[in-house]
Amino acid sequence: MKKLVVTVCICLAGCSSLLPKGKSAIEGQWDSYEAAEKTFDKIVPYQTGVEDLHALGLNIKTTPNITILNYSDVLQRFIPNPSVNADDLDTGVKDCIKAKTACHGFELDQRTVNRVRTGNFWADWLNFKRTTDVTGWNFKGMVLIKDNVVVYKLIGGQPLIREQEKNNNPLGPFQGVGESTVRSLY
């Protein structure tokens, strides 16, 4: 029995495949930032119509994770306070604001983020040291539409997310014992 326990412990000592992995995704039609950007590059203000947007896969009724913007939303995004001069805005935005309720738009948000814990299984499991590698991408796009024609588009986001989170707890599993004991008293 002792030999079995020792053998299992030795096998698990360097087994990082036992560490948790996770993926967070806001679903959409693209599998990369570049693919989303290429779709938005096909949108030409004052030329692209609503039907063209549907052909590109941008339909407010069927495309996931689209936020519909009404006139009030557009005002809040582009003129957040009185110090912003409407004359300094892009022509498409000005046309949309002048059209009031005849103009609307949408924002699209899509992202994929992978989280993979790396390092020593036992140090992670006992909460001494945890390292998490975070990779992915995030795309945000906005379109304003007046009289069924796109008058403005804007894209942004993060084409490449690459982060590393490190947590070191010298006391390991006992790190939060004092704090939780004090909280339970009150």
Side-chain angles (χ1 to χ4, degrees):
M1 183 66 166
K2 288 182 183 180
K3 288 182 182 181
L4 178 63
V5 171
V6 170
T7 304
V8 169
C9 288
I10 290 172
C11 289
L12 293 178
C15 201
S16 65
S17 65
L18 295 175
L19 294 173
K21 295 169 183 56
K23 181 176 182 175
S24 170
I26 294 182
E27 297 287 327
Q29 65 190 39
W30 304 290
D31 58 1
S32 69
Y33 181 93
E34 292 77 19
E37 187 176 42
K38 283 181 183 178
T39 299
F40 269 72
D41 285 345
K42 295 175 184 173
I43 300 171
V44 180
Y46 295 100
Q47 291 180 13
T48 305
V50 172
E51 302 81 23
D52 301 321
L53 291 177
H54 294 175
L56 292 171
L58 298 169
N59 184 336
I60 60 174
K61 294 180 181 174
T62 60
T63 305
N65 304 310
I66 284 185
T67 302
I68 299 170
L69 304 175
N70 61 30
Y71 171 68
S72 176
D73 296 328
V74 173
L75 278 177
Q76 288 175 355
R77 280 171 176 70
F78 290 98
I79 306 179
N81 59 56
S83 67
V84 175
N85 186 353
D87 293 332
D88 294 336
L89 297 174
D90 185 270
T91 304
V93 176
K94 287 191 285 191
D95 287 349
C96 185
I97 291 172
K98 288 177 187 172
K100 297 188 179 186
T101 57
C103 186
H104 66 282
F106 64 82
E107 283 182 328
L108 181 124
D109 184 7
Q110 185 180 343
R111 69 178 163 262
T112 299
V113 178
N114 297 303
R115 303 174 65 79
V116 178
R117 295 240 283 272
T118 59
N120 182 282
F121 170 78
W122 290 109
D124 186 292
W125 188 66
L126 292 172
N127 199 26
F128 282 105
K129 183 177 180 180
R130 287 189 175 157
T131 303
T132 306
D133 292 327
V134 181
T135 58
W137 57 275
N138 176 22
F139 179 85
K140 293 180 185 235
M142 177 191 292
V143 173
L144 298 180
I145 302 165
K146 177 186 156 198
D147 298 327
N148 289 325
V149 176
V150 174
V151 293
Y152 180 77
K153 74 168 181 176
L154 182 68
I155 63 171
Q158 294 175 279
L160 183 62
I161 297 172
R162 203 168 266 147
E163 302 171 0
Q164 190 175 64
E165 301 169 356
K166 290 185 177 187
N167 295 318
N168 290 317
N169 295 315
L171 300 178
F174 304 107
Q175 191 71 39
V177 172
E179 183 180 326
S180 62
T181 304
V182 170
R183 283 187 186 166
S184 67
L185 295 174
Y186 298 101

